[in-house]
């Protein structure tokens, strides 16, 4: 049995594009995800995508009612940048959509739920992709900064927790580093330039928020992978360090410390992927670090030293410094293809404490996706998702141990509040406390995990015992 601190956040998360649907969306308001869905619908599981999603635009009051019933303390979602404006150059706000955000915030607060808003959860307007190649452009950084300023003006009186991006490394890694998602352009230099421009955009949004004197805080949701070396050999340890450098520290260091690691700069210059920043922009990054961090954490990353010489005829990729290691005997979520290793929560907490000091942070995503959940329905039609309860318990146990050990972790937010659309995966794997039927009405029902989650919110006790060795 573990006591959960009274001020420890127990919430849940989702995003605009994964829930809203296109109800009321106007011509020209496609996001990157909307455009990808239109271009490659065949890669989305059973054709489901953002077009209907969970129909949150019409159902948000019902969902907030469920949140209140579960006694949720915090809810994190995003503003859909692509739907927030009707003119992305002159920043003309779509008052219909802005009113929806207003209503959602007000209803959350009335239900005793603290809203946490993210300015970009993959909802980059497709217009900015078409006109400026997205985050390749410094102009897009300025348009985003003005968007942030307008969002703060509209909602900063009620929303006290802001995030600039959710998982800012993901889109360019999938699209331009690995080229596994539309538009399938392999361009490592663009990958690093997008990384940099999102760091700069964050710093400029932080500067704006602080200069306006809002009574809240602003940070970024990162998805660092806690990386483990295969062995203690210097070669495997170096592989671990390089993975950490390119995928974790590339955002951690400038956002928290205010500067990039020298080794990363040297490697970017050596391999022709340097982003060539202006001195005044580096100064902005240095002077406007984040107030706090969101950390999305699902699984570990295991690496070893590469066994084969890098093919010099291929573009630079950080994989030249590491090779993925497949740990024998690991526990797996076979629905998702991800390793289950709950101690990753404790180890990430230690990593943050040792490398980034007292920066406040919280887990903004962690959860269990399972396919074919209808197989776990009882006679009353409720999903008995004991596997999700176990997954959350295991991870929350290690997170609370980290808090006992001095981690500056403020809470845990489950992904996700409801089942929702995920890129390509669509509704294949379900993550929610609330089940979404794929009928026309997107009918909702509470899973077993919902009442269990309410019990730990109310009682502030996690009933958990470390599994004993079988002798």
């Amino acid at each position: 049995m573990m006591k959960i601190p009274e001020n420890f956040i127990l919430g849940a998360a989702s995003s605009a594009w994964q829930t809203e649907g296109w109800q009321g969306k106007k011509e020209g308001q496609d996001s990157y995800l909307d455009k990808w869905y239109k271009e490659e619908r065949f890669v989305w599981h059973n054709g489901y995508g953002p077009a209907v999603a969970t129909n949150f635009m019409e159902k948000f009051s019902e969902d907030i009612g469920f949140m209140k019933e579960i006694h949720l303390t915090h809810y994190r979602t995003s503003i859909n940048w692509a739907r927030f404006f009707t003119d992305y150059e002159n920043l003309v706000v779509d008052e219909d959509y802005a009113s929806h955000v207003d209503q959602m915030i007000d209803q959350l607060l009335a239900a005793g739920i603290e809203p946490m808003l993210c300015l970009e959860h993959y909802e980059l307007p497709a217009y900015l992709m078409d006109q400026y190649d997205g985050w390749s452009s410094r102009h897009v950084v300025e348009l985003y900064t003005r968007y942030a300023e307008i969002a703060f003006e509209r909602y900063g009186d009620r929303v006290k927790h802001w995030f600039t991006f959710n998982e800012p490394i993901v889109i360019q890694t999938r699209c331009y580093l690995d080229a596994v998602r539309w538009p399938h352009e392999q361009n490592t230099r663009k990958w690093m330039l997008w990384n940099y421009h999102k760091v700069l955009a964050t710093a400029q949004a932080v500067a704006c928020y602080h200069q306006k004197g809002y009574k809240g805080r602003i940070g970024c949701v990162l998805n660092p992978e806690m990386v483990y070396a295969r062995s203690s050999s210097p070669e495997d340890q170096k592989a671990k360090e390089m993975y950490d450098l390119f995928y974790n520290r590339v955002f951690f260091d400038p956002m928290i410390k205010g500067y990039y690691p020298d080794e990363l700069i040297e490697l970017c210059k050596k391999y022709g992927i340097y982003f060539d920043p202006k001195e005044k922009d580096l100064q902005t990054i240095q002077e406007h670090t984040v107030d706090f961090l969101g950390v999305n954490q699902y699984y570990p990353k295991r690496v070893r030293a590469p066994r084969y010489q890098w093919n010099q005829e291929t573009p630079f990729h950080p994989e030249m410094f590491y090779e993925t290691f497949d740990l024998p005997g690991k526990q797996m979520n076979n629905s998702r293809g991800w390793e289950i290793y709950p101690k990753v929560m404790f180890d990430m907490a230690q990593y943050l404490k040792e490398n980034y000091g007292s920066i406040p942070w919280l887990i903004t995503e962690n959860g269990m996706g399972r396919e074919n959940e209808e197989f776990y329905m009882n006679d009353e039609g409720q999903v008995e998702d004991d596997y999700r309860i176990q997954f959350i318990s295991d991870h929350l146990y290690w997170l609370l141990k980290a808090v006992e050990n001095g981690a500056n972790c403020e809470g845990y937010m489950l992904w996700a509040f409801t089942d929702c659309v995920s890129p390509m995966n669509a509704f294949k794997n379900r993550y929610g406390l609330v089940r979404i039927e794929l009928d026309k009405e997107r009918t909702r029902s509470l899973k077993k995990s919902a009442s269990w989650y309410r019990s730990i919110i109310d009682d502030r006790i996690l009933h958990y015992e470390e599994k004993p060795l079988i002798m």
Side-chain angles (χ1 to χ4, degrees):
M1 187 175 77
M2 295 189 77
K3 182 72 175 172
I4 301 172
E6 286 300 323
N7 61 348
F8 190 83
I9 291 169
L10 287 169
S14 196
S15 77
W17 81 267
Q18 289 171 281
T19 56
E20 284 177 349
W22 292 351
Q23 182 74 24
K25 183 162 75 80
K26 298 176 176 65
E27 188 72 26
Q29 286 186 319
D30 282 349
S31 67
Y32 156 73
L33 266 300
D34 297 337
K35 192 77 178 289
W36 176 25
Y37 179 63
K38 289 179 177 180
E39 294 289 335
E40 288 191 338
R41 185 174 176 182
F42 66 92
V43 304
W44 295 70
H45 182 69
N46 289 341
Y48 288 104
V52 180
T54 73
N55 201 9
F56 185 77
M57 289 296 292
E58 292 186 322
K59 296 274 195 173
F60 71 92
S61 293
E62 182 179 345
D63 283 350
I64 292 170
F66 280 129
M67 294 178 203
K68 186 175 182 180
E69 185 176 343
I70 296 170
H71 300 169
L72 215 62
T73 64
H74 292 67
Y75 178 63
R76 178 179 76 93
T77 188
S78 58
I79 300 172
N80 192 328
W81 182 6
R83 296 190 64 171
F84 192 66
F85 296 109
T86 54
D87 182 332
Y88 304 108
E89 300 284 2
N90 298 303
L91 302 169
V92 177
V93 173
D94 184 329
E95 294 297 342
D96 293 332
Y97 182 78
S99 175
H100 158 72
V101 178
D102 267 317
Q103 292 175 53
M104 178 188 69
I105 292 168
D106 289 343
Q107 289 187 28
L108 284 167
L109 291 170
I113 300 156
E114 191 80 15
M116 308 178 92
L117 286 188
C118 185
L119 292 167
E120 200 253 49
H121 193 126
Y122 312 161
E123 297 109 348
L124 173 71
Y127 170 87
L128 299 181
M129 291 280 285
D130 295 340
Q131 294 296 314
Y132 302 108
D133 200 22
W135 289 103
S136 303
S137 168
R138 185 68 171 71
H139 181 57
V140 169
V141 175
E142 298 308 318
L143 290 175
Y144 170 88
T145 305
R146 180 67 183 120
Y147 154 51
E149 183 179 6
I150 294 169
F152 300 152
E153 289 170 355
R154 293 253 175 170
Y155 312 118
D157 60 329
R158 289 157 290 161
V159 177
K160 306 304 181 186
H161 310 276
W162 291 89
F163 297 105
T164 55
F165 293 93
N166 176 82
E167 301 183 350
I169 199 171
V170 166
I171 294 294
Q172 60 268 25
T173 299
R174 302 288 183 263
C175 295
Y176 303 120
L177 182 65
D178 297 331
V180 295
R181 291 183 182 173
W182 181 83
H184 307 286
E185 176 192 343
Q186 205 297 318
N187 187 331
T188 313
R189 189 174 185 278
K190 183 185 288 190
W191 172 68
M192 188 55 72
L193 182 62
W194 278 43
N195 289 340
Y196 166 65
H197 275 157
K198 289 183 181 182
V199 168
L200 178 59
T202 290
Q204 292 191 175
V206 169
C208 173
Y209 189 79
H210 289 162
Q211 287 161 6
K212 298 284 185 177
Y214 293 103
K215 305 299 183 186
R217 58 183 185 168
I218 182 168
C220 186
V221 173
L222 300 179
N223 57 313
E225 293 178 82
M226 190 61 218
V227 57
Y228 300 89
R230 177 193 63 153
S231 77
S232 59
S233 75
E235 295 80 9
D236 284 346
Q237 291 295 317
K238 183 63 175 177
K240 168 187 168 181
E241 291 168 10
M242 296 302 279
Y243 190 93
D244 187 47
L245 181 69
F246 275 101
Y247 294 102
N248 297 337
R249 295 180 63 196
V250 66
F251 282 99
F252 272 145
D253 280 37
M255 285 189 175
I256 302 172
K257 295 182 175 180
Y259 54 86
Y260 282 92
D262 290 340
E263 186 178 9
L264 181 66
I265 298 298
E266 291 166 7
L267 289 167
C268 286
K269 290 178 177 178
K270 179 178 180 180
Y271 292 101
I273 62 168
Y274 188 48
F275 39 88
D276 199 22
K278 295 178 180 176
E279 192 59 40
K280 69 178 181 64
D281 290 340
L282 290 178
Q283 186 175 349
T284 297
I285 291 168
Q286 184 174 10
E287 293 175 355
H288 302 288
T289 53
V290 294
D291 298 330
F292 74 128
L293 277 182
V295 176
N296 294 351
Q297 200 69 194
Y298 290 95
Y299 52 82
K301 177 69 180 183
R302 301 187 186 275
V303 299
R304 61 177 294 167
R307 291 170 289 178
Y308 311 105
Q309 186 172 347
W310 184 255
N311 180 357
Q312 298 298 326
E313 300 302 313
T314 61
F316 170 77
H317 192 293
E319 281 183 346
M320 74 180 294
F321 298 113
Y322 69 88
E323 184 179 319
T324 297
F325 173 61
D326 188 13
L327 179 69
K330 64 184 180 295
Q331 183 185 0
M332 290 290 292
N333 174 3
N334 290 318
S335 291
R336 197 67 177 90
W338 288 350
E339 181 182 349
I340 297 176
Y341 185 64
K343 189 173 177 284
V344 73
M345 306 295 260
F346 184 87
D347 293 341
M348 178 54 68
Q350 288 296 105
Y351 171 93
L352 289 171
K353 187 167 69 170
E354 291 169 7
N355 293 287
Y356 301 102
S358 60
I359 180 80
W361 62 279
L362 72 158
I363 292 293
T364 35
E365 284 185 30
N366 172 255
M368 174 63 157
R370 179 62 68 93
E371 61 183 315
N372 300 319
E373 280 203 324
E374 56 273 14
F375 293 165
Y376 300 91
M377 278 187 177
N378 60 24
D379 292 341
E380 285 73 47
Q382 183 184 56
V383 174
E384 295 187 332
D385 53 341
D386 295 280
Y387 43 84
R388 179 165 294 107
I389 294 170
Q390 187 65 55
F391 182 95
I392 299 171
S393 296
D394 290 345
H395 287 76
L396 195 51
Y397 167 78
W398 281 105
L399 188 62
L400 291 169
K401 279 191 69 115
V403 172
E404 289 178 353
N405 200 47
N408 200 14
C409 176
E410 299 179 344
Y412 174 93
M413 304 192 76
L414 178 69
W415 185 270
F417 179 66
T418 65
D419 295 337
C420 58
V421 171
S422 295
M424 299 176 72
N425 180 57
F427 284 101
K428 176 174 178 280
N429 292 326
R430 305 304 193 100
Y431 283 88
L433 299 171
V434 178
R435 178 172 171 84
I436 303 285
E437 302 297 341
L438 298 182
D439 54 16
K440 185 178 179 182
E441 291 75 26
R442 291 297 194 262
T443 307
R444 275 99 157 118
S445 62
L446 294 176
K447 302 178 189 177
K448 181 180 178 181
S449 57
S451 59
W452 172 82
Y453 203 57
R454 181 178 60 202
S455 73
I456 66 169
I457 292 171
D458 289 351
D459 301 339
R460 314 306 293 180
I461 292 173
L462 178 68
H463 294 281
Y464 185 89
E465 293 182 7
E466 287 194 59
K467 297 175 180 65
L469 294 173
I470 300 173
M471 304 298 286

